[in-house]
Amino acid sequence: MDFFRAHQAVGTTIPTYFIESTAPYNVDDTVVPPPALPPELSPIDSELAVKQIAAGLLNGADPNLVVMVHGFNNPEPAVLRMYTSAAMAIERDEKIRTRQGLVCVGYRWPSEKMGSPWRGTWDALPTLPTWLLYFGIIVVFLTFPLFYFASQTKQWWIDVFRYIWNPEAVHVITLLGWSVAGLVLMATLLRTIVYFRDNYRASNYGVPDLIQVIRAIDAEVVRQHDESGTTAPRPRVQLSFIGHSMGGFVVTNAIRTLSDVFAAPVEALNSYGLGASPGARPESPSHAIGKVFELKRFVLASPDIPAETLLSSRGNFLASALSRFDEAYLFSNEGDEVLRQISTLANYFVFPTKSRNHGFRLGNVEILSRNFGMIDVKEDNLLRVLRIGNLTLQELYDSLEDAKAERQPNASPALAQARLPKVFTYFDCTDYVDRDDPDKPAISANERPLLTFAKWRKRHDAEAKLRWYSHLYLLVMYVVRHQRPNVHGGYFEGLLSQELIYRLACLGYDGTVAAYGSEVALGTACEQKQIRMLVSPDLWRRRTGPVAPPPPTDEKLRTATRAAAPGSGEAATTGAAVPNLVGMSIVDARAAVAAVGNIPGRRGMEPQFMLLEITREAPNQATGTVVSQTPPPGGRVKEPASIEVIVAK
């Protein structure tokens, strides 16, 4: 553990430690000053910290190690404040504080503050861009004054230059100089926003160092158990993670590396994605990591992960990690401008897409509902009530599968819906309001919007969006008002959001429900603070609580219609309007029903109608003619239904 520095929380009931990688911001840094610790933390030898963590896990009746990982643009002082706040929030929560065998660890990888690299920008600039910058500056200084003064004076030497130089050429050369210099300056600006530097450090320092920390604790638990002389088997230690922003990327890649991918056949790699049907999937990947750990819960808060990772069927790093956890949770909000603007801009250079619709991140997921609290929808509608950017998950999935079908005409048919999004339980905090100070009285006057301005755009229309000027205003206020509202990290400021994150990670879903008293009480707590909660269908099936899920709310759900492809010859669905079939031949009636609700080849759609034919004798009617139908034409239904027709015999 020579490459790590450790601190211990002072006076907490739950053993809490902070382990940080000592990897420098720059490979040639010579001095790394020690941090100024808050009074709630004290330094501890990293080897001793690992031994105490292992001892705490071995002595607990139900051992659980919870590891928290921060995101990008988080220098050491900010991370220590964040983790100290987390330790204090856990200490205040009696439901967590009394849990036996719980040990919490905050892990820091070397993220730096935006703007910090500015002082070393010139020295680090490669030779060719330096020459280009010199060239651009020289051209601007030589041509721009001539261009400016040429029309202001009639001195003879200016007339000479006017005769030699072509004015159009002066324009072109001046613009060329500005452009060359501007490109180099843009590159230096991208360096100073630290996104790409943090991405490199997260991949090359954060992931390997986190793996080393987990391996060290695993080995120490084994050593202490074997040296104790007990004949009892080694304990199984629950391992859970909280990942914020780029920290979610660090965790998923660390888990992927820790997993033994050679334990499954080659065909199993596709099953980590979304293309394989349930019957074609191999045995579920093991939850075991190392010799004692067992992956349990993964909480993602505003993850800086592409939305397509929920939908891709290729070697999917998110799917391969999530498949090993029992429970997964996603905290997000529509107005996270750090992801929506800064991250998408940075990833514009690297993310392979032709459309801006495919550049959004998971931290921008929103639930299409007018209501707050626990939202319950049919499993088949889940992807249609989750939107990222401009499209729902179902629309994103359909567009990706359509593109795949054109690339690979002979590929096997895709599933109607992607499965991975159904693993998550979603918390949409777009309109979240709460106190951020536990010492303030619990009254509405002390509450404020934490992640956006809580406009509640979906009050009357579940599909409403924040306007473009609202996104711009949020970004400006985030920058100039010192992150108030904190569009990216407000989850760790509000009392309820912190409580939810830490309870779900430390206690799991059943333990969290028990802490609130019931699922109804949990939904009520979210409703009061304007959080939308959508429970994973997989979690509903596995839950052990005695309370049934709440009845579906009367939502204006997004319809399952999709525009017909040009030249496909398919008529667009008209929704759930019952057609008038009386007087038609049964052949035409079948075609009319198929055109309305069951058009072949449209993935993600479920039939709105099926035709039930009853043949009876009907005098004065031609054989095969529809005599009557139920329900009557013109009505609308909200779910798959049947039309019963009587056909003349």
Side-chain angles (χ1 to χ4, degrees):
M1 298 293 290
D2 293 337
F3 297 102
F4 300 91
R5 185 164 49 228
H7 317 288
Q8 183 177 13
V10 177
T12 58
T13 305
I14 299 297
T16 305
Y17 300 85
F18 306 97
I19 298 178
E20 55 180 324
S21 167
T22 56
Y25 292 142
N26 305 287
V27 296
D28 50 351
D29 280 344
T30 55
V31 178
V32 181
L37 297 179
E40 296 85 359
L41 299 180
S42 64
I44 183 175
D45 180 74
S46 57
E47 296 281 356
L48 179 59
V50 170
K51 292 179 180 179
Q52 291 184 2
I53 292 171
L57 295 172
L58 278 172
N59 295 331
D62 186 18
N64 181 21
L65 177 65
V66 177
V67 181
M68 185 173 181
V69 185
H70 64 87
F72 105 102
N73 187 31
N74 274 274
E76 188 175 44
V79 173
L80 290 177
R81 287 195 302 271
M82 177 182 178
Y83 288 167
T84 301
S85 175
M88 297 301 104
I90 291 174
E91 182 64 21
R92 290 193 303 267
D93 194 330
E94 183 181 358
K95 304 297 183 180
I96 302 178
R97 190 174 65 243
T98 56
R99 190 196 187 285
Q100 299 297 313
L102 176 64
V103 178
C104 296
V105 172
Y107 166 73
R108 177 186 174 265
W109 52 276
S111 171
E112 63 182 328
K113 185 178 180 180
M114 194 177 295
S116 298
W118 180 256
R119 285 174 293 180
T121 298
W122 179 254
D123 291 336
L125 192 64
T127 303
L128 178 59
T130 304
W131 291 346
L132 291 176
L133 182 60
Y134 282 143
F135 170 76
I137 294 174
I138 291 172
V139 169
V140 169
F141 273 94
L142 288 179
T143 58
F144 185 73
L146 178 63
F147 166 71
Y148 179 77
F149 290 113
S151 61
Q152 307 294 326
T153 181
K154 295 183 179 180
Q155 297 182 18
W156 66 270
W157 60 276
I158 293 294
D159 291 334
V160 172
F161 277 105
R162 187 182 292 113
Y163 176 78
I164 298 175
W165 285 72
N166 186 310
E168 287 75 14
V170 174
H171 275 281
V172 172
I173 295 174
T174 303
L175 292 175
L176 176 64
W178 277 107
S179 299
V180 171
L183 287 174
V184 179
L185 293 175
M186 178 58 71
T188 61
L189 177 63
L190 291 175
R191 169 187 166 88
T192 58
I193 67 173
V194 309
Y195 185 88
F196 296 107
R197 288 164 57 88
D198 267 8
N199 197 295
Y200 177 89
R201 285 186 291 254
S203 301
N204 294 279
Y205 302 149
V207 173
D209 287 356
L210 177 59
I211 291 171
Q212 185 64 15
V213 170
I214 300 300
R215 292 178 67 240
I217 296 174
D218 179 81
E220 183 62 24
V221 170
V222 172
R223 187 190 68 80
Q224 291 187 18
H225 175 271
D226 293 347
E227 291 182 356
S228 66
T230 180
T231 57
R234 293 171 183 166
R236 300 307 301 173
V237 179
Q238 299 179 21
L239 178 60
S240 304
F241 289 92
I242 301 172
H244 174 231
S245 186
M246 200 175 285
F249 167 82
V250 172
V251 173
T252 52
N253 280 276
I255 296 302
R256 192 183 194 189
T257 305
L258 284 166
S259 304
D260 184 5
V261 298
F262 291 98
V266 174
E267 294 80 7
L269 293 179
N270 284 337
S271 71
Y272 290 145
L274 309 168
S277 62
R281 292 172 183 265
E283 185 178 344
S284 298
S286 171
H287 295 254
I289 293 289
K291 296 180 179 179
V292 298
F293 284 123
E294 191 172 83
L295 295 173
K296 293 298 289 185
R297 294 169 285 274
F298 190 12
V299 181
L300 285 168
S302 205
D304 189 6
I305 296 175
E308 269 64 29
T309 54
L310 280 178
L311 308 170
S312 173
S313 58
R314 286 188 174 271
N316 189 323
F317 72 92
L318 179 63
S320 62
L322 284 180
S323 63
R324 298 181 179 274
F325 287 93
D326 276 347
E327 302 172 12
Y329 305 92
L330 176 61
F331 287 76
S332 59
N333 83 90
E334 180 187 1
D336 190 337
E337 306 306 322
V338 172
L339 296 181
R340 193 180 183 98
Q341 312 299 341
I342 298 175
S343 177
T344 53
L345 173 62
N347 283 284
Y348 170 77
F349 301 96
V350 295
F351 188 72
T353 180
K354 297 187 298 183
S355 168
R356 64 173 60 93
N357 289 329
H358 295 273
F360 293 98
R361 324 302 279 179
L362 285 184
N364 287 128
V365 170
E366 53 180 313
I367 299 173
L368 300 185
S369 171
R370 297 192 304 269
N371 303 323
F372 299 111
M374 192 172 289
I375 311 299
D376 185 57
V377 298
K378 291 182 177 295
E379 182 174 349
D380 292 340
N381 284 329
L382 181 71
L383 272 64
R384 300 188 189 103
V385 298
L386 295 172
R387 184 171 64 197
I388 301 182
N390 301 319
L391 303 176
T392 65
L393 289 184
Q394 187 63 58
E395 290 169 332
L396 281 172
Y397 178 67
D398 289 336
S399 65
L400 291 174
E401 290 301 326
D402 287 344
K404 176 185 174 183
E406 292 187 15
R407 290 194 310 267
Q408 305 174 21
N410 298 324
S412 57
L415 294 175
Q417 287 191 336
R419 296 181 55 84
L420 185 59
K422 300 178 182 181
V423 173
F424 278 110
T425 292
Y426 299 86
F427 292 86
D428 180 356
C429 301
T430 301
D431 298 304
Y432 175 42
V433 294
D434 202 351
R435 291 179 296 145
D436 57 356
D437 186 347
D439 297 327
K440 292 180 180 178
I443 57 177
S444 59
N446 291 327
E447 293 184 348
R448 66 178 180 88
L450 290 172
L451 291 114
T452 68
F453 290 108
K455 297 295 185 180
W456 194 4
R457 293 289 187 187
K458 295 180 174 63
R459 184 192 305 264
H460 303 295
D461 182 3
E463 299 183 28
K465 301 179 181 179
L466 290 176
R467 308 296 175 84
W468 66 268
Y469 49 81
S470 297
H471 288 293
L472 180 60
Y473 185 56
L474 274 172
L475 180 61
V476 172
M477 291 298 101
Y478 175 78
V479 174
V480 303
R481 288 180 53 181
H482 307 289
Q483 301 182 6
R484 290 176 73 91
N486 189 346
V487 299
H488 191 54
Y491 313 95
F492 301 100
E493 296 177 1
L495 298 185
L496 177 61
S497 56
Q498 290 185 82
E499 190 175 76
L500 286 170
I501 289 172
Y502 302 138
R503 282 184 176 181
L504 290 169
C506 299
L507 308 177
Y509 183 75
D510 289 338
T512 300
V513 169
Y516 285 98
S518 68
E519 284 169 324
V520 174
L522 172 59
T524 301
C526 291
E527 183 179 8
Q528 291 173 346
K529 302 301 182 182
Q530 300 188 177
I531 294 176
R532 297 178 180 90
M533 176 183 177
L534 186 58
V535 180
S536 157
D538 292 348
L539 196 54
W540 275 129
R541 286 191 289 268
R542 298 199 313 266
R543 75 193 190 289
T544 59
V547 181
T553 55
D554 184 18
E555 293 291 345
K556 179 186 175 184
L557 297 181
R558 192 179 189 92
T559 59
T561 59
R562 294 181 58 202
S568 65
E570 296 176 354
T573 56
T574 59
V578 180
N580 186 3
L581 307 177
V582 177
M584 289 186 180
S585 69
I586 189 60
V587 175
D588 292 338
R590 292 169 185 162
V593 170
V596 171
N598 191 14
I599 301 174
R602 295 195 174 185
R603 285 179 292 276
M605 296 181 56
E606 54 188 349
Q608 287 295 325
F609 298 101
M610 61 181 294
L611 193 63
L612 299 180
E613 305 171 25
I614 300 176
T615 305
R616 293 181 183 172
E617 295 211 5
N620 303 322
Q621 293 288 342
T623 302
T625 301
V626 177
V627 177
S628 64
Q629 71 176 73
T630 303
R636 304 185 72 85
V637 294
K638 296 181 179 180
E639 57 186 18
S642 60
I643 301 179
E644 182 178 294
V645 299
I646 296 178
V647 183
K649 180 178 178 182

